[in-house]
Amino acid sequence: PVALSNPLSSDMNTLRPSLLPGLLDSLRHNLSRQNQDVALFELGRVFAPGTASPREARHVAIALTGRRQPDFWQGQDREARYDLYDLKGVVDEFLELYGLRGLVYAARAEPTALFADSATVSLGGRVPLGQLGLLLPALARQHDLRDAVLLAELDLDELLARRNTAR
């Protein structure tokens, strides 16, 4: 991460490289207040080390946990929980609004440091747009999250550059 020379506090001594940690804190905040079924998104700037100065980009991130449709009083869908297909549907619909077609989801064979099950999202298999996946259960427990946590992060600058402006 990009270090700050004069941080306001010791826990804010770097520029954020991802929006996902902030979303995990928001999920924990909601769950600690008895909001068990949460769907959040965030738009924001992220920073990566560059050769002369840090590279700044705008990203969009999505987090889902809990029941898919908590308003059902009865029936088999009442206790249905979010899964990877729900997250993929949200990402598909979001990218459809930008007029982007030819998305390729490439599943990763192995878990990553963040995800137990994940995939990369690209345009035509050539232009990387981001990633999505199921948070590792150990990381979910560290944030006091009981249900499966589904996360996605996409490069908003890339989406805006490649969108269909007629839409």
Side-chain angles (χ1 to χ4, degrees):
V2 178
L4 294 173
S5 56
N6 295 315
L8 294 175
S9 66
S10 61
D11 61 338
M12 295 182 170
N13 59 357
T14 61
L15 296 174
R16 65 180 176 186
S18 171
L19 299 176
L20 298 179
L23 277 179
L24 288 174
D25 288 340
S26 294
L27 287 176
R28 179 189 335 182
H29 179 82
N30 275 276
L31 291 169
S32 70
R33 282 151 181 81
Q34 305 307 313
N35 297 322
Q36 304 299 320
D37 311 310
V38 185
L40 301 171
F41 76 95
E42 181 178 356
L43 298 169
R45 297 187 185 280
V46 297
F47 302 87
T51 54
S53 63
R55 288 178 295 130
E56 181 178 345
R58 292 178 295 176
H59 281 197
V60 59
I62 302 164
L64 306 172
T65 190
R67 291 181 295 170
R68 182 181 302 141
Q69 297 174 330
D71 297 333
F72 279 125
W73 287 93
Q74 61 186 1
Q76 65 185 17
D77 289 337
R78 180 171 187 245
E79 294 299 320
R81 303 281 179 191
Y82 284 118
D83 60 21
L84 276 173
Y85 296 108
D86 294 311
L87 182 61
K88 182 181 177 293
V90 169
V91 170
D92 282 342
E93 188 172 340
F94 179 71
L95 296 176
E96 174 69 25
L97 292 173
Y98 280 91
L100 295 173
R101 301 203 189 272
L103 296 173
V104 175
Y105 293 89
R108 293 183 176 129
E110 298 292 322
T112 66
L114 184 64
F115 295 119
D117 191 15
S118 65
T120 59
V121 183
S122 62
L123 193 58
R126 296 181 310 275
V127 180
L129 296 177
Q131 62 181 340
L132 58 87
L134 172 67
L135 184 67
L136 286 167
L139 289 176
R141 282 191 299 276
Q142 285 178 1
H143 285 83
D144 301 322
L145 304 170
R146 294 179 297 151
D147 287 331
V149 177
L150 302 142
L151 301 168
E153 187 166 13
L154 302 170
D155 186 338
L156 186 60
D157 287 332
E158 194 67 44
L159 297 175
L160 292 172
R162 299 196 178 271
R163 74 176 187 247
N164 180 349
T165 55
R167 294 209 47 152

